[in-house]
Amino acid sequence: MYLDNEFTFDIQVQAYESKGETTQLSVAENGKKLKEENIAINTNGFVKDVQVKLKANKIGIQKYTIDVSTVKNEITTKNNSQTIFVEVIDARQKVLIAGSAPHPDIATLKQAIELNKHYEVTVALADDLNAVDANKYSLAVLYQLPGNSNAASALINKLQEANVSLWYVLGAQSNIGAFNQVQKSLNLSRANGSVQEVFPYPDANFTAFNLDVTSLKQLNDYDPYKCLLPMSVSMEVIRLLSISGLVE
């Protein structure tokens, strides 16, 4: 069970020849009572299913005790209690967003990633880059790093040595020469040192997910996004954007 996840106990309460009696169902976590419910027994062959929804708030092995109180003339109470052990673990993936200076895009990335409660985001900027413990992270988002004002060589080396997955976000402040040196997947050359404006267009053939009518209309009002689009790789970038459903 993951930390902060909700889960449900399906509890079946049975009673025989006890019509007219009332029993009390309780659920306790590590001795602390969480739920309590009175159950009226209205037939001699009584069966009732009760669902109790709980939330995993603590890391470690948690003990849950389910009890039903005794009723008059009950023959045995050995089956009135049940103990369940649930192991709760913190499986959140740690993500680093690194940049040379604050930027609205960094805040947006952090907010979007943290919409998934299983991701924990840390932002490191400027001088904080040198203090990053690379072994803590599963993914590092390098926002315009290596940059013209900060190559972040020490950080990138640490992340690569720790086999951390890297996501490079390039922009006007990116040092393309340094970028070509720190990774082998792509070699870029900036055309005249400029950037290009990119507009979003929906691809009717893209079927992984659909945008509603309101979202599609909003695309027309968005400002262009300035990005590097070198002539040597422009067609490949456009093809990848098309696959993503961003352009036609």
Side-chain angles (χ1 to χ4, degrees):
M1 180 67 59
Y2 294 139
L3 182 67
D4 292 329
N5 273 9
E6 290 186 341
F7 61 99
T8 302
F9 283 148
D10 289 319
I11 304 168
Q12 187 175 85
V13 180
Q14 299 181 2
Y16 299 97
E17 302 300 330
S18 299
K19 183 178 179 180
E21 297 289 333
T22 298
T23 187
Q24 188 176 73
L25 170 69
S26 65
V27 178
E29 178 188 55
N30 301 321
K32 180 181 179 181
K33 191 173 292 186
L34 300 178
K35 302 285 183 180
E36 195 171 68
E37 178 181 341
N38 290 325
I39 298 176
I41 302 171
N42 50 25
T43 63
N44 283 326
F46 180 79
V47 178
K48 181 175 182 178
D49 293 318
V50 180
Q51 289 190 333
V52 177
K53 184 176 288 187
L54 303 171
K55 188 173 183 178
N57 294 314
K58 301 176 184 176
I59 298 174
I61 296 177
Q62 311 302 325
K63 178 183 176 182
Y64 294 91
T65 305
I66 301 168
D67 283 309
V68 289
S69 61
T70 59
V71 296
K72 187 171 61 177
N73 299 324
E74 191 164 357
I75 296 175
T76 179
T77 60
K78 290 183 178 180
N79 57 358
N80 284 29
S81 181
Q82 180 73 47
T83 300
I84 300 172
F85 293 91
V86 176
E87 183 176 10
V88 180
I89 61 175
D90 186 356
R92 288 179 295 180
Q93 299 291 317
K94 292 179 171 31
V95 178
L96 171 70
I97 301 179
S100 59
H103 194 282
D105 287 352
I106 293 177
T108 300
L109 284 168
K110 182 177 187 296
Q111 183 180 20
I113 294 171
E114 287 185 334
L115 288 175
N116 187 320
K117 62 184 178 182
H118 295 304
Y119 292 102
E120 179 182 335
V121 179
T122 299
V123 175
L125 303 172
D127 295 339
D128 294 339
L129 299 178
N130 296 324
V132 169
D133 181 359
N135 295 300
K136 292 172 54 177
Y137 301 100
S138 302
L139 170 68
V141 181
L142 301 177
Y143 186 81
Q144 301 197 60
L145 293 178
N148 293 323
S149 61
N150 189 344
S153 301
L155 170 64
I156 295 173
N157 287 336
K158 285 194 298 184
L159 293 169
Q160 290 175 334
E161 290 173 1
N163 292 320
V164 178
S165 298
L166 300 179
W167 174 14
Y168 294 92
V169 179
L170 303 183
Q173 301 304 314
S174 297
N175 186 321
I176 300 304
F179 169 76
N180 290 335
Q181 292 177 1
V182 298
Q183 53 78 45
K184 304 301 180 184
S185 300
L186 192 63
N187 189 70
L188 300 179
S189 59
R190 179 180 291 181
N192 301 322
S194 63
V195 295
Q196 280 191 304
E197 294 183 343
V198 177
F199 293 85
Y201 295 99
D203 182 355
N205 297 317
F206 182 75
T207 58
F209 58 84
N210 295 316
L211 295 176
D212 56 37
V213 175
T214 301
S215 297
L216 290 173
K217 288 182 178 179
Q218 287 178 340
L219 292 179
N220 297 324
D221 299 326
Y222 287 162
D223 294 331
Y225 188 82
K226 293 183 178 181
C227 69
L228 296 170
L229 194 60
M231 295 301 294
S232 59
V233 296
S234 60
M235 292 307 298
E236 178 64 13
V237 172
I238 291 173
R239 186 185 72 82
L240 292 174
L241 290 174
S242 178
I243 292 173
S244 305
L246 296 178
V247 300
E248 308 187 287

